[in-house]
Amino acid sequence: MKAVGIIVEYNPFHNGHWHHLQETKAKTAADCLIAVMSGNFLQRGEPAIVSKWARTKMALAAGVDIVIELPYVFAVQAAEQFAHGAVRLLDALGCQELCFGSESGDIAAFLTAAKTWFQHKEKFDSLVRSELARGQSFPKANAEAWRQLDSDALDLSKPNNVLGFAYVKAIWQNKLAIVPRTIPRLAAGYHDESFSHSSIASATSLRKVLRQTGQLERIAAYIPSTTAEQLQQYRLTYGRWHDWEAYFPLLKYRLLTSSEEDLRRIAGVEEGIEYRLKQKIVSAETFATFIAATKTKRYTWTRLQRLCVHVLTNFTKEEQNKAAAPTYIRLLGMNETGRRYLQQVKKELALPLIAKAAKLNGDPLYEQEKRATAVYTAAFPEPLYSAALKEEYATAPIYFSGMERK
Amino acid sequence: MKAVGIIVEYNPFHNGHWHHLQETKAKTAADCLIAVMSGNFLQRGEPAIVSKWARTKMALAAGVDIVIELPYVFAVQAAEQFAHGAVRLLDALGCQELCFGSESGDIAAFLTAAKTWFQHKEKFDSLVRSELARGQSFPKANAEAWRQLDSDALDLSKPNNVLGFAYVKAIWQNKLAIVPRTIPRLAAGYHDESFSHSSIASATSLRKVLRQTGQLERIAAYIPSTTAEQLQQYRLTYGRWHDWEAYFPLLKYRLLTSSEEDLRRIAGVEEGIEYRLKQKIVSAETFATFIAATKTKRYTWTRLQRLCVHVLTNFTKEEQNKAAAPTYIRLLGMNETGRRYLQQVKKELALPLIAKAAKLNGDPLYEQEKRATAVYTAAFPEPLYSAALKEEYATAPIYFSGMERK
């Protein structure tokens, strides 16, 4: 069986993701489609709108055969570390290809860019450093260094090109036998907050509508029915969807009761930002106003969000430095095809395949996952908090036996 | 002017406290009555039912002339450290006498007991150690060691005798020129949870009635009208009174996101209790069930409560060890008599007298006070949280010009 990997967040799963799945299947002739998915918190430093379990159901219903979890220590990271964890996991599960969506849509451009990068790595790094020294943010410093290398192969001001580029580099750096492929993304840009296409809208814009109106029917045209059902069911069960504001009281409490020394131990706290965080939090009444007041040219909104997730989950530099590579493959869900595939490869896997998370107690990556879940579920009042917390340890992988949407 | 000190928590101020004030004035012929009062969190490891400001108003209305704050680092401690901080502050403000309520009511008994203790200190300590080694709690080990010393001067199974004994020892150990006096407490025992006297009830029993019924009129017979007004006003302004359950979500979040190593840095975390805390918190839905599930013969309810306040406020062993003695006198309120007294003594004070807390920024004792306030006010939703937090820094000492209750 030919396994093909995809790297996803599904926050929530929408028609653009559906398109990506169909194109991936058509282009790769995959027998088994494996998604590595972020868990409670996402790459840009935000809580997922619904739990990993609900999002796994969305993925399986749309035709993904296996969903595994990208551990927190890789998920809530800049592109390079995110890509590193994701491709290592797909490789560990035996994927022959990786198929990602990008603004470019041309894999040759990524390969050319990656070659340029490897050839001029030292010059590139020194250009980045000098841009950083001029006070630029990491993304801007990277883009500018890239421009100065005079490579027009790939537009690295586009967020999905940046991620795709990181995937290709990570495959090469890890010397993995995974063939990268890319599919052009439809219409909507990742960050677009307005609807611009009749059935395709970015996850960002969908979440914004839900946050502002609370009305599922407002986004119905842009999501499969399973996503609507899962979002509906989740709100019925847990009383809410998740956004940063739900965690702001915890963040404020944590920052106010942490010393500067405590904060310096947290991953991503550099260059004295701890003083600014402690200063700005005192009178901030919402997360949005807090980040707006705190951000600088150097500390972008996304970087601050990610850092704040690390503060909330008490994720330290020491823990980050120790997280060199995935230590397990955590299965979140599968269908019959996925089950057969796992049956076939399970004896050759490079990492332990884990169905019951309780077996992972003591694994440093999973200990951080538990903390992330403890934060994520703290958005619920008791007794829901305790119940949701228990699901982290006790939920068996979801087996999807339903008909796939045609 | 003759200044006399009292050591109080007023949680809330009730008729028993009123009686203590009248007796103190009658017995000592004080010109100025100075109360050193716990702030946000109290000696037994509980949040105060209302803020230090509201409780200061209760005290001033009842005839206390000056109210100063006992810093967190002394307030949330076992009797010895609590007494140490309190008598040092009263001495720093020039008090000639200390007058405390006790079950015994006989100062000679305290002096005899203190003499016995100083004479047999080593034997006493070794008896305590051997009781602790047998698995007893600190209070039980102390009481048993005392019994074995064969001193029947003072019944140290009574909580106010224990505190009074600690005051006398602290005065002697610090070689202070303060004369200790005691007044017999009326009827109700400190821990009594039921009403047993027509107008006197313990603060514990009053809080219990308020917690269970929310009805102020149910306790009206046991409190001065000012207490009723302050409690009423506080609930109108802030929407609630404070109890441990309000902080349980924060405690659960903090414990679940702290490593065992983090917890071992917290004051009061000894003997591996960190493992038990992390184990029991997972399925605990209330503070009461959590403590009930966690407590042992060695870790009493009060000790655990105190430890949990330290976890909440991130108060470390290192910070505790550095807190040798008060570094400032923080004025919470005064009346005209108090103002005149301070005018008279202010140039001779051994410690800086602080009216505006913002001046204390950077003082380690006050930094911990700010953290305690950040936790205490976290019981409010925004924008009240930010507003209440600001009061900690910005509130001027209360000047009480009203008529004292006769």
Side-chain angles (χ1 to χ4, degrees), chain A residues 156-351:
Chain A
L156 283 171
S157 71
K158 296 281 190 286
N160 288 281
N161 286 351
V162 168
L163 282 172
F165 183 49
Y167 300 151
V168 173
K169 284 194 297 179
I171 288 171
W172 288 12
Q173 288 186 298
N174 283 284
K175 302 184 172 57
L176 306 180
I178 295 180
V179 177
R181 292 177 178 275
T182 190
I183 288 166
R185 283 170 62 90
L186 288 186
Y190 183 70
H191 293 288
D192 292 354
E193 295 201 359
S194 58
F195 292 164
S196 53
H197 191 286
S198 59
S199 67
I200 304 287
S202 73
T204 303
S205 65
L206 297 176
R207 290 196 305 277
K208 188 182 175 195
V209 170
L210 289 180
R211 201 165 54 239
Q212 290 176 343
T213 71
Q215 296 172 352
L216 263 175
E217 58 274 23
R218 296 284 285 270
I219 67 164
Y222 306 91
I223 56 175
S225 60
T226 307
T227 294
E229 288 156 22
Q230 286 299 324
L231 289 172
Q232 172 87 337
Q233 185 60 44
Y234 195 88
R235 190 168 53 176
L236 279 172
T237 307
Y238 297 104
R240 70 174 311 144
W241 297 314
H242 302 251
D243 62 32
W244 239 119
E245 296 300 344
Y247 301 97
F248 182 64
L250 289 182
L251 179 68
K252 184 160 181 169
Y253 155 73
R254 189 90 192 200
L255 284 173
L256 287 171
T257 56
S258 296
S259 65
E260 282 85 0
E261 193 188 333
D262 290 333
L263 292 178
R264 274 192 290 276
R265 295 171 55 234
I266 299 297
V269 174
E270 308 283 354
E271 305 158 1
I273 191 72
E274 64 273 21
Y275 297 99
R276 195 169 168 86
L277 292 169
K278 281 193 69 83
Q279 184 203 339
K280 298 295 183 188
I281 195 66
V282 177
S283 59
E285 295 178 6
T286 68
F287 183 70
T289 56
F290 172 59
I291 299 294
T294 309
K295 82 185 171 72
T296 62
K297 194 159 73 165
R298 190 67 162 267
Y299 268 89
T300 61
W301 193 286
T302 299
R303 190 176 171 197
L304 281 174
Q305 282 199 151
R306 225 182 265 138
L307 186 164
C308 287
V309 173
H310 296 331
V311 168
L312 265 187
T313 63
N314 190 27
F315 180 54
T316 65
K317 287 172 181 151
E318 191 186 345
E319 287 159 344
Q320 180 170 263
N321 292 339
K322 281 186 187 163
T327 48
Y328 57 83
I329 302 167
R330 185 184 184 187
L331 187 61
L332 293 178
M334 64 191 153
N335 60 16
E336 181 55 24
T337 303
R339 198 194 59 75
R340 276 193 292 115
Y341 177 76
L342 291 176
Q343 196 65 29
Q344 179 187 309
V345 300
K346 69 179 179 187
K347 290 194 174 152
E348 307 150 22
L349 297 177
L351 292 174

Side-chain angles (χ1 to χ4, degrees), chain B residues 79-97:
Chain B
E80 281 67 27
Q81 189 66 0
F82 178 85
H84 171 73
V87 301
R88 289 280 293 242
L89 276 171
L90 292 176
D91 178 67
L93 252 186
C95 289
Q96 297 167 40
E97 298 180 12

Side-chain angles (χ1 to χ4, degrees), chain B residues 96-162:
Chain B
Q96 297 167 40
E97 298 180 12
L98 162 68
C99 190
F100 58 89
S102 65
E103 291 84 0
S104 153
D106 174 16
I107 196 65
F110 287 90
L111 299 176
T112 304
K115 260 181 210 143
T116 305
W117 185 80
F118 273 100
Q119 280 163 3
H120 303 285
K121 199 167 173 310
E122 281 175 25
K123 185 175 175 200
F124 179 81
D125 286 350
S126 110
L127 285 170
V128 168
R129 273 195 303 273
S130 78
E131 285 301 312
L132 286 175
R134 288 181 52 227
Q136 292 294 350
S137 68
F138 280 113
K140 287 234 171 107
N142 267 281
E144 178 58 22
W146 197 244
R147 200 190 58 73
Q148 289 184 33
L149 269 191
D150 209 23
S151 166
D152 54 4
L154 191 60
D155 180 356
L156 283 172
S157 71
K158 296 280 190 287
N160 288 281
N161 286 350
V162 169

Side-chain angles (χ1 to χ4, degrees), chain B residues 181-203:
Chain B
R181 292 177 179 275
T182 190
I183 287 166
R185 283 171 61 90
L186 288 185
Y190 183 70
H191 293 288
D192 292 354
E193 296 200 359
S194 58
F195 292 164
S196 53
H197 191 285
S198 59
S199 68
I200 303 287
S202 72

